[in-house]
Amino acid sequence: MVHGRSSGCLINFKKFGAKVISLGTLYESRMSYKNRHVISMKDFSRKEIDYILDTAEKLEPVARGEERSRLLDGKIVALLFFEPSTRTRLSFEVAAQRLGGQVLNLGSVEASSVMKGENLADTIRVISKYADLIVLRHPLDGSARMAAEFASVPIINGGDGSVHHPTQTFLDLYTIRRESHLDDLRIAMAGDLKYGRTVHSLCHALSLYGTEMTFVSPPELKMPSEIVRDLQKNKISIKETDSLEEIIGDIDVLYMTRVQRERFPDPEEYEKVKNKLKITGDLLKNADPNLKILHPLPRVNEISPEVDATPHARYFQQAFYGVPIRMALLALAMGVIE
Ligand code: NCD
């Protein structure tokens, strides 16, 4: 049986004939990763997160190609991407291959039976029979949780709508741990805090580390109030502003994000806010010398190219860290590492 914890979901599972079972308490007493879905950061304790980061660190030489591994020999990972992706899809592919596993790629949605009107539930039921694990990216909020109800293999959420992107968060935490520090961290998240799933997931995880958070956005793109309330309930110190200049000297990590054009109901609204925040060489003159800049990528205009050559820029290294993290997640979910 595949396990998952339930939380809020915007999709009606029952419509597709799901038997909705609550498995919320299965992991309270002991850490277990085998056959476990990775849907939301809310499903993981700090101890579990730290264990996954430790596992990734051990796998880093394999991710770099310096050591060889056959841990996933005979295993097949299916990649179902219903939204564009470069890093998430390719780093999962590299992760599986570096561990000796094979990849089954749905390819373009246009070429699949989704175009004939097949629903996600049926697609998941069928791919579960072909592969040992499914990585899913989908534009609908709650789709990964729904897929987990129909899968007979573990589902890893590669991003669903504007809600969750847990594997990105694992790699963001890993980057912060490797390039800065997770304890006593002062982070600013900037850009599209309304629609950005990466920052939504990251906030949940960092609240377990007691991180001081500053949210920088134009008023139209503020962090959703449910998330702010959640963090306040957990006694997390939060500051909100629309100015990078105001906070640049007081942070260890600046997590920049792209304005998510595809999630705006009204394209004119996007045009109004798309260039409101930008990291430039000038802005960085007042930064702490140890400041690290992260970005999940792709970037559009929000970081000027001159920043790339500064020691602050860690976003390309961050993209590499996706490989050991996704190796760890694959190996743990398929039970080849305990
Ligand atoms: C992010 C995503 O898909 O949410 N990209 C990624 O996975 N690295 C961020 C984005 O698209 O802006």
Side-chain angles (χ1 to χ4, degrees), residues 155-320:
I155 295 282
I156 296 186
N157 182 4
D160 61 337
S162 58
V163 187
H164 300 295
H165 196 349
T167 71
Q168 179 70 42
T169 295
F170 279 114
L171 85 85
D172 295 339
L173 296 173
Y174 188 72
T175 308
I176 295 169
R177 194 169 94 164
R178 296 283 270 100
E179 303 287 327
S180 183
H181 48 90
L182 273 168
D183 291 324
D184 302 320
L185 175 71
R186 299 167 305 162
I187 192 171
M189 298 180 203
D192 187 346
L193 307 183
K194 179 176 181 184
Y195 295 115
R197 56 193 172 196
T198 60
V199 281
H200 299 162
S201 282
L202 187 58
C203 281
H204 290 307
L206 284 176
S207 70
L208 302 174
Y209 293 82
T211 300
E212 222 175 89
M213 301 184 204
T214 301
F215 299 143
V216 191
S217 71
E220 299 88 338
L221 297 179
K222 278 174 76 167
M223 186 63 81
S225 52
E226 315 85 80
I227 297 185
V228 172
R229 267 199 305 275
D230 239 28
L231 296 171
Q232 281 165 340
K233 240 190 271 159
N234 290 328
K235 310 256 177 305
I236 299 301
S237 138
I238 294 168
K239 189 174 155 192
E240 293 187 276
T241 169
D242 60 2
S243 154
L244 283 169
E245 288 75 11
E246 196 184 288
I247 53 96
I248 194 71
D250 303 322
I251 49 172
D252 306 305
V253 170
L254 173 53
Y255 191 98
M256 194 66 192
T257 62
R258 167 181 77 91
V259 180
Q260 309 272 300
R261 180 172 46 120
E262 67 278 26
R263 307 210 193 280
F264 279 69
D266 177 355
E268 273 181 31
E269 289 304 309
Y270 168 74
E271 291 300 323
K272 274 192 224 153
V273 291
K274 68 176 185 188
N275 291 325
K276 286 259 169 100
L277 292 176
K278 189 162 185 159
I279 305 179
T280 58
D282 259 3
L283 174 79
L284 294 175
K285 286 186 187 140
N286 297 319
D288 184 307
N290 290 320
L291 171 77
K292 306 294 180 209
I293 301 171
L294 309 190
H295 191 307
L297 304 178
R299 88 174 126 179
V300 186
N301 290 318
E302 60 279 4
I303 303 180
S304 17
E306 80 250 21
V307 175
D308 298 355
T310 70
H312 302 295
R314 302 312 293 149
Y315 27 91
F316 296 119
Q317 182 62 17
Q318 180 185 4
F320 162 72

